[in-house]
C-alpha cells in the first residue's frame, strides 16, 4: 500500500504562485507514476497532469497547460505542482494520486490517493 501526503496548500491572493508537494511512501514498480487532480466546489474531479518515474516526462491536460508545471524528485518519490498567476477559478481541493503503471498514451488510472489539500485564491 502506498501512502500519499500532500503539503503546500493554503490561502493566497490572486496573481501569486503556489507550489504543492506530494510524497509517496514507496515506489512500487518501474512504471510508477504520480499525478495531480483538483475538485472545485460543486464540480467533478478533473485530472491536471502527471509524470512517469520511468521516462521522467510530465504531461498535462489542456486545462493545466501554461500556468501549471509538474516536476518530481524521483529519489524522494515526491511530485510537485507549481501553479503561477493563480485566479479565483483555481480555488479547489488538490488531490495527489499514484499508480503502479503510469501511461501517457491514454488518461492514466490511479491506484492510490491522497487526502487532498485545499487551495483558496482570494481576489
Amino acid at each position: 500500500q502506498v501512502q500519499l501526503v500532500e503539503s503546500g496548500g493554503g490561502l493566497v491572493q490572486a496573481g501569486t504562485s503556489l507550489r504543492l508537494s506530494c510524497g509517496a511512501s514507496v515506489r512500487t514498480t518501474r512504471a510508477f507514476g504520480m499525478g495531480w487532480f483538483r475538485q472545485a466546489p460543486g464540480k467533478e474531479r478533473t485530472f491536471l497532469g502527471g509524470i512517469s518515474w520511468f521516462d521522467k516526462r510530465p504531461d498535462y491536460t489542456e486545462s493545466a497547460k501554461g500556468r501549471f508545471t509538474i516536476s518530481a524528485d524521483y529519489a524522494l518519490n515526491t511530485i510537485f505542482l507549481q501553479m503561477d498567476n493563480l485566479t479565483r477559478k483555481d480555488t479547489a481541493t488538490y488531490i495527489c494520486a499514484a499508480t503502479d503503471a503510469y501511461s501517457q498514451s491514454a488518461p492514466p488510472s490511479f491506484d492510490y490517493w491522497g487526502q487532498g489539500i485545499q487551495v483558496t485564491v482570494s481576489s
Side-chain angles (χ1 to χ4, degrees):
Q1 188 72 13
V2 177
Q3 305 297 323
L4 302 175
V5 179
E6 299 116 329
S7 62
L11 174 64
V12 296
Q13 289 192 329
T16 61
S17 299
L18 197 64
R19 188 193 198 205
L20 305 181
S21 302
C22 176
S25 57
V26 65
R27 174 188 176 182
T28 54
T29 64
R30 192 163 179 243
F32 183 79
M34 297 180 72
W36 287 102
F37 290 77
R38 73 179 180 184
Q39 186 166 19
K43 296 190 176 180
E44 293 186 355
R45 185 175 62 195
T46 58
F47 180 55
L48 297 175
I51 194 164
S52 163
W53 260 236
F54 180 71
D55 62 20
K56 299 178 173 57
R57 182 165 56 91
D59 67 301
Y60 304 89
T61 58
E62 286 301 318
S63 62
K65 286 181 180 178
R67 297 185 299 116
F68 292 0
T69 303
I70 292 173
S71 61
D73 184 322
Y74 302 102
L76 295 179
N77 296 326
T78 298
I79 188 173
F80 305 100
L81 177 66
Q82 175 71 36
M83 302 184 290
D84 298 320
N85 194 22
L86 288 162
T87 73
R88 292 185 65 183
K89 291 183 178 181
D90 296 313
T91 294
T93 299
Y94 287 74
I95 306 160
C96 169
T99 175
D100 297 328
Y102 189 90
S103 171
Q104 291 183 333
S105 62
S109 61
F110 290 89
D111 307 298
Y112 315 100
W113 295 87
Q115 294 291 327
I117 192 164
Q118 181 65 34
V119 172
T120 302
V121 183
S122 64
S123 58

